[in-house]
Amino acid sequence: MFLEKAKKSPIFSSNKNTTPQSSVAGWKVLIVDDEPDIHSVTKLALSRFKLDDRPLSFLNAYSGEQAKVVLKEHQDIAVAFVDVVMESDHAGLELVKWIRSDLKNNKLRIILRTGQPGQAPEEDVIVHYDINDYKAKAELDSRKLTTSVYSALRSYRDIMLIEQGRLTQQQHRQGLEKVLKATSGLFELRTLHRFADGLLNQVAGLLNLQSETLLLTCNSLDAMSGPVDSSEIEVLAGTGNFHNCSSKDIPDSIYCLLNKALAEKQCLYEGSVFIGYFPTKTSRWINLLYVDGINEINELDRKLIDIFAINVGIAFENLLLNQEVEDTQSELILRLGDVVESRSKEAANHVKRMAEYSYELAILAGLDEQEADLLKHASPMHDVGKIATPDAVLLKPGKLDDQEWQVMKQHPVIGHQILESSNRPILQAAAIISLQHHEKYDGSGYPNGLAGEDIHIFARIVAIADVYDALTHKRCYKEAWALDDVLDEMKRCSGSHFDPTLLSLFIDNINIFERIKTHWLDT
């Protein structure tokens, strides 16, 4: 968009060097892109840029390999714009890895740019590569380009101030290590609740103190219309006296400080209190951090907090984008699971209970929370293969004959065929579960006669959850069983149908699963 406008400009057609002339050394900016026009347009858009009365000084590379040469020669480059697709589809990503791993340069601020977003999906890039911003070229007009450079340069400047020896060498190295670890770790957190808890832990680690802290969020429209109050703000997490508090429990004095940060649109230090201001660019939410008891922090701590605040804003943005993608995937999977189950006349909330049973048993079995979440979101697709099972077989109220049984036994393979070609982790997990959830621990199941731990743990968990829910609810071919009868039958099948270790965990914690069953009663 900006490129097309700039090409029509008389300035663009000129052969003049657009780098400003100045006696003050400029901030070095490296442009890595195989399109010469992108170099010209970027320089034009930033030709009047200054930070601390210093202009920009541009360096150019037209491939990842050329960029490596420039980066070795110039150790003081502040910002690099890096194209993703150059001499190869992932040349930019490979360059980022080289900068951080081989060159050991963690100070350089990297803004990744791509004209082909599909080549490098934003969620994957943000999570797996140590970059500071990620933009599609189509969205980079002059204003957004300038904003990105301001943010990146301020972060670089603050890092360099710490490194230039204003405090002891040991202090600044420890501080840099903390802030880099803290902000990179935040990108890996998967849910807003865990992000909130993680953020408070990171702040405590940065400041080395036990503080009263709050992480809050409010709608930007509310903030624009005037001061916010308890009805317009939500508490995401809290520590100390604010643990498990609601917005109504927050004193008016704190709301005054929060509203001051919202009005000034920046982080604040007020006496012994720090207010972090973390807006998101593409959503309507503004997140606020309240930390009390910081009167003991030194200048290094303040610098670290400033850098931290910049990166947390980016982390919030990408977390919300990632959460939206995951929520959409999960809802579609759940709805498709509901369609399959309703066609086969299963209990109305069968897939919802299955998802919750599977999550809880996974946690009891020692799987980490990310794996348990993956299982929870994938399990509703366990019977998706039944979509191809004829009604005469699927809805038959009595016992199936041998021919009908052979037709029914095809649904795990069909489900696997539907899902196996996807590269999405949720659908990959769903493909495994669909194929293996009728395998039995002693090898007598179908379709492949797998036994023991050759059956994926996801499928072994789902097998227990599926049978428990099937026996405790009415089906077209049976009435619901009493709990004692269900548990007796499942114990009888320990080691034959079910993994005995997993089944023992399930039965020993049956109160957890009974609560889930009660919560998701069929209507």
Side-chain angles (χ1 to χ4, degrees):
M1 178 174 64
F2 179 73
L3 175 61
E4 295 305 317
K5 290 181 181 178
K7 283 183 177 179
K8 297 176 183 177
S9 165
I11 300 176
F12 183 84
S13 61
S14 169
N15 291 322
K16 293 179 181 179
N17 186 347
T18 59
T19 304
Q21 300 298 314
S22 172
S23 59
V24 180
W27 302 98
K28 289 186 180 180
V29 175
L30 172 62
I31 304 171
V32 187
D33 201 298
D34 59 354
E35 297 182 45
D37 284 352
I38 296 296
H39 290 253
S40 300
V41 170
T42 302
K43 293 176 186 178
L44 175 61
L46 299 171
S47 60
R48 299 180 184 277
F49 182 100
K50 281 190 177 183
L51 177 66
D52 298 339
D53 289 325
R54 291 175 62 185
L56 301 181
S57 174
F58 293 99
L59 299 168
N60 303 286
Y62 297 88
S63 69
E65 291 305 312
Q66 286 184 17
K68 291 179 182 179
V69 174
V70 175
L71 285 160
K72 287 178 180 177
E73 291 177 355
H74 298 267
Q75 301 293 319
D76 56 346
I77 296 173
V79 179
F81 287 101
V82 179
D83 187 20
V84 174
V85 181
M86 292 181 287
E87 65 264 44
S88 70
D89 286 349
H90 296 94
L93 300 179
E94 291 166 3
L95 176 61
V96 171
K97 280 188 174 180
W98 179 85
I99 291 170
R100 300 306 195 204
S101 300
D102 295 354
L103 195 60
K104 307 294 185 186
N105 187 340
N106 290 316
K107 299 185 291 294
L108 173 65
R109 305 295 86 189
I110 300 174
I111 302 173
L112 206 62
R113 297 195 290 189
T114 179
Q116 304 174 50
Q119 291 291 111
E122 183 169 351
E123 176 189 351
D124 294 340
V125 171
I126 289 295
V127 171
H128 295 113
Y129 293 88
D130 184 4
I131 63 173
N132 304 102
D133 208 348
Y134 183 59
K135 300 289 186 185
K137 290 179 183 177
E139 68 173 312
L140 272 179
D141 56 22
S142 179
R143 181 178 58 82
K144 291 181 179 178
L145 196 62
T146 301
T147 301
S148 294
V149 175
Y150 268 120
S151 177
L153 270 182
R154 283 172 177 151
S155 179
Y156 175 81
R157 176 196 62 191
D158 291 343
I159 291 172
M160 295 309 297
L161 284 174
I162 295 170
E163 284 219 329
Q164 283 166 5
R166 299 224 173 160
L167 299 162
T168 68
Q169 195 122 15
Q170 182 179 10
Q171 282 180 311
H172 79 244
R173 284 183 176 171
Q174 289 175 343
L176 271 176
E177 183 179 354
K178 281 182 182 179
V179 76
L180 292 172
K181 284 184 177 179
T183 51
S184 63
L186 290 175
F187 283 105
E188 299 173 5
L189 295 166
R190 307 293 292 181
T191 69
L192 195 57
H193 176 71
R194 273 178 286 162
F195 182 91
D197 286 341
L199 177 56
L200 295 186
N201 287 331
Q202 299 288 14
V203 169
L206 284 174
L207 302 181
N208 291 315
L209 49 79
Q210 297 295 320
S211 300
E212 302 290 348
T213 62
L214 275 168
L215 186 64
L216 315 104
T217 190
C218 71
N219 192 310
S220 59
L221 295 177
D222 292 334
M224 289 173 61
S225 63
V228 298
D229 57 28
S230 61
S231 65
E232 298 166 318
I233 205 159
E234 178 184 352
V235 177
L236 298 176
T239 64
N241 291 330
F242 295 124
H243 181 62
N244 287 333
C245 81
S246 71
S247 58
K248 294 179 181 179
D249 301 322
I250 300 172
D252 290 340
S253 58
I254 294 180
Y255 276 112
C256 288
L257 294 173
L258 298 176
N259 280 304
K260 185 174 181 181
L262 289 170
E264 297 183 9
K265 297 182 179 179
Q266 64 180 10
C267 300
L268 297 177
Y269 294 93
E270 292 280 336
S272 65
V273 172
F274 169 71
I275 303 292
Y277 174 84
F278 309 125
T280 54
K281 290 179 287 186
T282 60
S283 77
R284 65 184 186 277
W285 299 106
I286 297 174
N287 302 288
L288 298 162
L289 173 67
Y290 169 88
V291 183
D292 197 0
I294 64 167
N295 49 307
E296 298 298 325
I297 68 170
N298 56 31
E299 185 63 23
L300 172 64
D301 289 326
R302 288 177 182 261
K303 291 291 183 185
L304 292 177
I305 291 173
D306 289 342
I307 300 170
F308 187 78
I310 292 169
N311 285 280
V312 166
I314 298 170
F316 262 116
E317 184 72 19
N318 290 299
L319 179 78
L320 290 170
L321 291 172
N322 182 60
Q323 192 68 43
E324 178 66 22
V325 171
E326 287 194 356
D327 288 347
T328 301
Q329 287 179 347
S330 298
E331 183 173 351
L332 288 173
I333 288 172
L334 193 59
R335 288 181 181 273
L336 182 55
D338 277 336
V339 169
V340 173
E341 301 300 340
S342 62
R343 177 175 174 260
S344 59
K345 308 298 183 185
E346 299 288 10
N349 286 317
H350 173 62
V351 294
K352 296 182 181 70
R353 289 190 296 266
M354 280 275 299
E356 298 296 336
Y357 297 152
S358 298
Y359 174 85
E360 294 295 345
L361 185 52
I363 293 296
L364 289 170
L367 274 65
D368 63 39
E369 196 165 352
Q370 186 172 342
E371 290 178 303
D373 271 336
L374 184 61
L375 173 56
K376 175 181 177 178
H377 295 312
S379 63
M381 297 288 280
H382 66 287
D383 273 339
V384 69
K386 287 183 178 178
I387 204 165
T389 305
D391 284 351
V393 173
L394 192 64
L395 305 180
K396 184 176 179 179
K399 185 178 180 180
L400 301 179
D401 61 30
D402 289 344
Q403 185 176 356
E404 291 168 335
W405 182 237
Q406 291 306 313
V407 172
M408 177 62 81
K409 288 169 65 175
Q410 293 173 12
H411 80 269
V413 174
I414 294 171
H416 184 258
Q417 290 171 346
I418 291 171
L419 301 167
E420 66 176 334
S421 60
S422 173
N423 292 322
R424 297 294 177 188
I426 291 176
L427 296 183
Q428 288 177 337
I432 293 169
I433 293 166
S434 177
L435 182 64
Q436 297 185 10
H437 73 285
H438 283 298
E439 300 288 358
K440 295 184 178 181
Y441 198 75
D442 65 358
S444 63
Y446 65 91
N448 295 315
L450 300 179
E453 294 189 2
D454 288 340
I455 306 168
H456 196 286
I457 190 169
F458 283 4
R460 283 180 274 146
I461 288 172
V462 167
I464 293 172
D466 192 23
V467 170
Y468 170 73
D469 198 66
L471 292 180
T472 53
H473 290 84
K474 183 178 179 179
R475 298 285 178 93
C476 64
Y477 52 85
K478 60 170 273 301
E479 294 296 323
W481 288 22
L483 178 61
D484 287 344
D485 294 335
V486 171
L487 297 182
D488 286 344
E489 175 63 17
M490 295 182 77
K491 288 175 185 176
R492 187 182 67 80
C493 296
S494 178
S496 56
H497 190 159
F498 306 119
D499 179 326
T501 302
L502 291 175
L503 184 64
S504 293
L505 285 172
F506 182 85
I507 292 174
D508 290 345
N509 295 277
I510 192 63
N511 59 312
I512 295 175
F513 304 99
E514 281 290 287
R515 281 199 300 269
I516 294 170
K517 185 181 73 173
T518 301
H519 179 75
W520 290 105
L521 290 175
D522 294 326
T523 55

